[in-house]
Amino acid sequence: MDESPEWEPEAWGSSRGWSATREARAGPSLSSVLNELPSAATLRYRGPGVLPWGALEDEDGERSIQAFAEAAQKELQEPVPSRELPWPMQARRAHKQCHARDQMAQGSRSRVAKWALLLRRSKEKMREGLQSLQPWAWTLKRIDGQFGAGTKSYFLLLRFLLLLNVLASVLKACMTLLPTWLDGAPPGPPDPDVSSPCGSYNPNSEGLVSFSSQLFNLLSGEGYLEWSPLFYGFYPPRQRLTITYLCSTFLIGLLSLLLILRRSVSGLKQTLLAESGVLTSYSHRVFSAWDFGLCGIVHVRLRQRLIRYELQVELEEAEVRRRAAVRTLGQQAGVWLVRALLNLLVVALLGAAFYGVYWATNTTVELQEWSLTQQMPLLKLGVDYLPSIFISGVNLVLPPVFKLIAPLEGYTRSRQIILILLRTVFLRLASLLVLLLSLWSQITCGGNAEDPACKACGYNYKELPCWETRLGQEMYKLLIFDLLTSVAVALLIQFPRKLLCGHCPGVLGLVGTQEFEVPNEVLGLIYTQTVTWVGSFFCPLLPLLNTAKLLLLFYLKKVVLFSTCSPASRTFRASMANFFFPLVLLLGLAISAVPVLYSIFLIPPSKMCGPFRGQLSIWAEIPESISRLPQGTQNFLFFLGTQAFAVPLLLISSILMVYTLALANSYGRLISELQKQIETEAQNKVFLAQRAVALSSGTGAL
């Protein structure tokens, strides 16, 4: 076998080997025209030593050859990292070896340069180490290659939410559980015989409790779980604990906000590039999407499938845009009429779902008072879970309806996914808001402070003596029932459907084929995370439970995906998922903050349970704690809330915002000018190429 020729970087920077025998030609030659093409300016991107157009034919090309040789030699001499040079791999290796020899010849570097190099390498190693610690990397790569980037985005979001819940669990353990036991063992539940103006509270069950009742208590959060570290009412009213308990909630919200914003910004960059058409052209997919560093047939096939899915998305959306461009005015009016009717249908379905959630929540209170319900534990469990059952049923039935409606509206695949996501997220989050609104009406007597049931204590102490624990139990039941629903759907619907119909010929085989519904699954994750954010204040260990749920859900969905699902017949862009999914997650965080902040600032805390018992409001503990600080610290904290601090801060923020907007506008104008210049150069290239062909055919230069 012939050995590959030795790569000499000097040959890239010199004009040796270029033939000097050129024949003089009369009239303008093809090379003189081609040297004016815009592509001649891109020679440096093809590596040093590449011949200009017509270098063997042009009499006047020696000066341009020398200029290119000098530029190439300059690139070889500049300390540019080899991996950043737009050269072939063999040329990069030669450049790296040459650069290493030059460094050894120059001797030792300065101390500052050595430390800078050491710091840069340490950062790179740390970044590589963190990337290697990311769980399920190979599994995500398989999913990307076999099912497309859209399905992979679901598992990426699940991994991101797992990180959020792990951090929240650590914060809750350090700021809630540890202070509870550091000051001594927490006291037991209040004595049921002791009454106060706000009634009595007895969380423990009386008499002998059967095994079935223990199991039902585990599912409903009542009984022995009601007075446990799982819920708000267990924690004693201690000074250190009240501060850490409240601060942990704010820290979790702030940390979640920062991480989601960071993820949204990185996804926004990809979305803007994708929507601008820079990275979605077919030439980019064909010529630049392949990774030549792949080793192994498995990796190669995965990459091939990924490129095929990306091209499939581009072709589908191009076809939809082509059909939309040729519509007549009457056809366009018909499309808008169909969209209006379908949106009215969607609004009617959502209204019916919200009314059903409100009815189920109010009916639960009435059914719990029946003597038959109190005598039958199973019936009582069903009544307790009635709002959760109704919400989960609505979330199972309506998203497939939205999926059937979306293709009828005539949008592209990416736009259809966005519409399905918006409608589904509105259904899920608004259902949760309706549930919280119903509970708020029960706690505050419909907002009527003069109601006899709420006048004495500021809340309905007769029905809800510890209303914080009741809210935590509702969020706990929503989380548990959502997990049970996911497991039941996988075991009772998806796997039997694959086993019974997957291997049958004909129509039954097609029925057994199912696809992974990314929008519905993603909204399920966001809904669960919103429930966790709402309940983390009233059920401090809820983030830990959600962490365990996400771990179980990942492996369950992985088995379901590889065992029962086929690749999606219609995919969508991953860039849309990278930005839109965190944006919806940010919406869920904002919605969850409303009931939590309202409870902290406006609703009086329970008088018989919790760390804030006896306070006018939960927030009242913060000013009292500040008053116990040194006077200098108090003055500084109170200064932060005065106009003397707020006004300059607002002015500085406004100036920075205006500067950022002006800078963004200038960059936008510059990008527009560069795009116009690229279009002009492309037109010039076509014109000059046509002229070159005409000249060559007329003078016989070719």
Side-chain angles (χ1 to χ4, degrees):
M1 183 179 295
D2 295 336
E3 296 182 357
S4 59
E6 184 70 21
W7 192 277
E8 298 181 0
E10 292 82 3
W12 284 73
S14 64
S15 57
R16 262 181 310 174
W18 292 357
S19 176
T21 61
R22 295 182 295 272
E23 298 178 358
R25 304 171 191 260
S29 63
L30 176 62
S31 60
S32 64
V33 179
L34 292 178
N35 278 331
E36 300 176 6
L37 289 176
S39 58
T42 65
L43 286 176
R44 63 184 303 274
Y45 296 105
R46 289 180 263 153
V50 178
L51 296 178
W53 292 106
L56 299 178
E57 304 173 1
D58 192 4
E59 293 286 351
D60 301 327
E62 190 170 353
R63 286 179 295 178
S64 61
I65 293 173
Q66 186 66 25
F68 283 115
E70 292 177 358
Q73 191 66 28
K74 183 179 179 181
E75 285 185 351
L76 287 171
Q77 294 175 358
E78 290 179 353
V80 180
S82 302
R83 63 176 179 272
E84 296 182 4
L85 292 174
W87 293 355
M89 187 62 69
Q90 198 173 4
R92 293 183 185 181
R93 293 195 187 102
H95 177 269
K96 185 176 182 180
Q97 295 173 1
C98 182
H99 191 55
R101 289 195 298 267
D102 293 342
Q103 289 180 357
M104 296 178 60
Q106 292 175 1
S108 61
R109 295 183 174 184
S110 64
R111 184 175 299 178
V112 177
K114 286 183 178 180
W115 280 105
L117 179 61
L118 181 62
L119 181 62
R120 186 174 69 251
R121 290 179 177 176
S122 301
K123 289 182 178 179
E124 293 178 355
K125 290 182 179 180
M126 185 179 299
R127 188 181 298 109
E128 293 176 357
L130 292 176
Q131 291 178 354
S132 63
L133 293 177
Q134 291 182 351
W136 310 315
W138 170 241
T139 301
L140 293 175
K141 187 178 293 185
R142 285 183 59 198
I143 293 172
D144 192 9
Q146 295 187 21
F147 298 94
T151 306
K152 177 188 174 183
S153 62
Y154 165 80
F155 290 91
L156 287 176
L157 181 63
L158 193 152
R159 186 175 68 177
F160 174 72
L161 293 180
L162 180 64
L163 171 64
L164 284 183
N165 285 275
V166 168
L167 295 177
S169 302
V170 173
L171 285 176
K172 281 293 183 181
C174 296
M175 302 182 69
T176 302
L177 294 179
L178 287 181
T180 302
W181 272 273
L182 286 178
D183 295 336
D191 191 351
D193 297 330
V194 177
S195 61
S196 67
C198 294
S200 61
Y201 176 54
N202 183 20
N204 294 331
S205 302
E206 298 180 358
L208 184 63
V209 181
S210 62
F211 175 76
S212 59
S213 298
Q214 297 279 12
L215 179 61
F216 295 153
N217 290 336
L218 177 63
L219 295 176
S220 62
E222 298 178 355
Y224 63 93
L225 284 181
E226 187 169 348
W227 193 266
S228 68
L230 186 61
F231 294 110
Y232 166 92
F234 170 81
Y235 296 92
R238 296 170 180 171
Q239 179 181 347
R240 182 188 304 175
L241 178 61
T242 54
I243 300 300
T244 57
Y245 192 99
L246 191 58
C247 290
S248 65
T249 302
F250 290 118
L251 282 178
I252 289 174
L254 180 61
L255 183 64
S256 301
L257 177 63
L258 294 178
L259 291 177
I260 294 173
L261 286 177
R262 180 178 178 273
R263 186 178 178 88
S264 300
V265 169
S266 61
L268 177 61
K269 296 177 182 179
Q270 301 175 12
T271 303
L272 292 177
L273 285 174
E275 296 298 331
S276 64
V278 177
L279 297 182
T280 56
S281 60
Y282 303 115
S283 59
H284 169 75
R285 305 297 181 195
V286 174
F287 297 108
S288 304
W290 187 255
D291 185 2
F292 289 93
L294 294 176
C295 298
I297 189 63
V298 177
H299 299 276
V300 171
R301 288 178 177 174
L302 289 177
R303 190 65 180 178
Q304 289 174 345
R305 292 171 182 169
L306 176 60
I307 297 175
R308 185 178 74 238
Y309 283 131
E310 291 176 349
L311 290 174
Q312 180 182 350
V313 173
E314 297 298 330
L315 293 172
E316 287 179 355
E317 298 199 351
E319 177 63 21
V320 174
R321 288 192 292 266
R322 185 192 64 80
R323 291 199 302 264
V326 298
R327 287 178 188 152
T328 62
L329 182 60
Q331 292 174 342
Q332 190 68 28
V335 169
W336 282 106
L337 179 61
V338 170
R339 290 175 181 175
L341 294 176
L342 292 176
N343 282 308
L344 287 177
L345 176 61
V346 170
V347 171
L349 292 174
L350 291 175
F354 299 154
Y355 177 77
V357 174
Y358 183 80
W359 171 84
T361 307
N362 292 332
T363 306
T364 300
V365 180
E366 300 177 1
L367 294 177
Q368 287 175 343
E369 298 176 356
W370 290 8
S371 59
L372 182 62
T373 304
Q374 300 294 333
Q375 296 173 2
M376 300 179 63
L378 183 59
L379 180 60
K380 184 177 183 300
L381 179 65
V383 171
D384 291 339
Y385 267 89
L386 184 59
S388 302
I389 292 173
F390 198 90
I391 291 176
S392 298
V394 167
N395 292 334
L396 283 176
V397 173
L398 288 188
V401 177
F402 296 156
K403 183 185 176 183
L404 294 175
I405 291 175
L408 303 177
E409 297 178 285
Y411 291 112
T412 61
R413 178 62 174 169
S414 298
R415 186 67 61 84
Q416 292 177 25
I417 295 295
I418 292 176
L419 285 176
I420 296 173
L421 283 172
L422 287 176
R423 291 163 179 169
T424 310
V425 73
F426 186 73
L427 169 67
R428 288 180 175 267
L429 299 183
S431 301
L432 181 60
L433 282 179
V434 171
L435 173 63
L436 293 173
L437 183 62
S438 303
L439 293 174
W440 168 83
S441 179
Q442 298 175 18
I443 294 169
T444 63
C445 302
N448 184 13
E450 299 299 327
D451 190 282
C454 298
K455 189 174 183 180
C457 301
Y459 63 94
N460 191 353
Y461 64 91
K462 294 182 180 180
E463 295 183 1
L464 303 171
C466 188
W467 62 266
E468 297 93 345
T469 297
R470 172 62 187 279
L471 273 177
Q473 289 172 343
E474 291 296 331
M475 299 301 108
Y476 172 82
K477 287 185 287 187
L478 287 175
L479 186 70
I480 295 297
F481 193 78
D482 188 76
L483 175 62
L484 295 177
T485 303
S486 301
V487 174
V489 168
L491 297 180
L492 302 179
I493 297 178
Q494 293 177 330
F495 284 113
R497 177 181 173 184
K498 183 68 175 179
L499 291 176
L500 295 176
C501 306
H503 302 286
C504 297
V507 180
L508 291 178
L510 297 177
V511 173
T513 303
Q514 51 189 336
E515 299 178 0
F516 193 80
E517 302 294 339
V518 176
N520 193 29
E521 299 291 346
V522 166
L523 267 301
L525 290 179
I526 296 175
Y527 165 76
T528 304
Q529 187 60 42
T530 306
V531 170
T532 304
W533 280 325
V534 174
S536 61
F537 181 79
F538 310 103
C539 182
L541 298 186
L542 200 61
L544 182 61
L545 296 178
N546 197 31
T547 301
K549 178 197 170 183
L550 291 175
L551 280 173
L552 178 62
L553 197 64
F554 180 88
Y555 292 104
L556 177 65
K557 294 298 181 182
K558 173 188 171 183
V559 173
V560 169
L561 180 67
F562 286 105
S563 302
T564 67
C565 296
S566 60
S569 58
R570 303 180 67 188
T571 58
F572 61 97
R573 291 176 181 168
S575 59
M576 184 272 295
N578 293 333
F579 172 68
F580 192 75
F581 291 166
L583 187 63
V584 177
L585 190 61
L586 194 63
L587 176 62
L589 178 61
I591 291 176
S592 65
V594 175
V596 175
L597 294 178
Y598 186 87
S599 302
I600 291 175
F601 287 99
L602 296 179
I603 302 181
S606 299
K607 309 301 181 184
M608 305 298 295
C609 66
F612 301 97
R613 67 187 75 170
Q615 299 289 337
L616 295 177
S617 67
I618 296 176
W619 179 254
E621 184 64 28
I622 299 298
E624 291 184 7
S625 302
I626 293 177
S627 64
R628 291 189 288 265
L629 295 174
Q631 189 62 36
T633 307
Q634 293 185 38
N635 295 335
F636 174 74
L637 293 177
F638 284 122
F639 170 74
L640 296 180
T642 60
Q643 296 180 355
F645 175 78
V647 173
L649 180 63
L650 180 61
L651 291 176
I652 294 174
S653 302
S654 302
I655 293 173
L656 291 177
M657 185 181 300
V658 171
Y659 171 75
T660 304
L661 291 176
L663 193 63
N665 291 333
S666 64
Y667 286 155
R669 289 193 297 269
L670 179 60
I671 292 173
S672 300
E673 293 296 331
L674 292 175
Q675 290 176 346
K676 292 179 181 178
Q677 185 177 354
I678 291 174
E679 294 175 0
T680 304
E681 293 294 338
Q683 295 173 0
N684 292 340
K685 181 185 294 187
V686 174
F687 172 76
L688 292 174
Q690 292 175 350
R691 183 184 174 190
V693 172
L695 290 173
S696 61
S697 60
T699 60
L702 296 177

